[in-house]
Amino acid sequence: MSWITKMMAVGLLATSTAFAAEPQTAILDVKNMQCQMCSITVKKALQKVRGVEDAKIDLDRKNATVKFDPDKTSPDALAAATTKAGFPSTVHKE
């Protein structure tokens, strides 16, 4: 790879990451979670959503905290994913 080609590649990488959206966090109130398997199912459903970077499930509080790329998904899409998996959820209102 020539020096010019390498510099162009570095420039393209810098440009693509400069416009990437800042990750956001959504908290979902999740119904029907009663056991550890339920929380695993909810986590897997969320991890399948394109743009999800991290999902933490709190069985005691019956919620999920999800870090995601807002250019790829939305809180409503996250809630739809858990609902489709059998665990209806809504975006937490503070």
Side-chain angles (χ1 to χ4, degrees):
M1 197 183 265
S2 73
W3 180 82
I4 292 173
T5 306
K6 287 180 185 177
M7 291 306 292
M8 288 175 62
V10 168
L12 285 173
L13 284 173
T15 302
S16 66
T17 57
F19 295 109
E22 190 70 28
Q24 292 183 2
T25 301
I27 298 174
L28 303 176
D29 295 320
V30 185
K31 295 181 181 176
N32 300 340
M33 284 199 305
Q34 299 178 6
C35 66
Q36 194 62 36
M37 282 304 296
C38 296
S39 61
I40 290 169
T41 301
V42 169
K43 184 171 186 155
K44 286 185 177 198
L46 290 167
Q47 290 174 329
K48 289 179 183 179
V49 176
R50 186 174 158 257
V52 169
E53 296 178 11
D54 188 37
K56 293 187 181 358
I57 313 304
D58 188 326
L59 183 58
D60 293 330
R61 291 191 172 125
K62 308 273 192 259
N63 70 23
T65 303
V66 188
K67 185 176 175 183
F68 65 96
D69 180 341
D71 285 342
K72 296 179 181 174
T73 194
S74 68
D76 289 337
L78 301 172
T82 65
T83 299
K84 185 177 177 182
F87 298 91
S89 66
T90 56
V91 179
H92 182 76
K93 306 289 185 212
E94 296 200 34

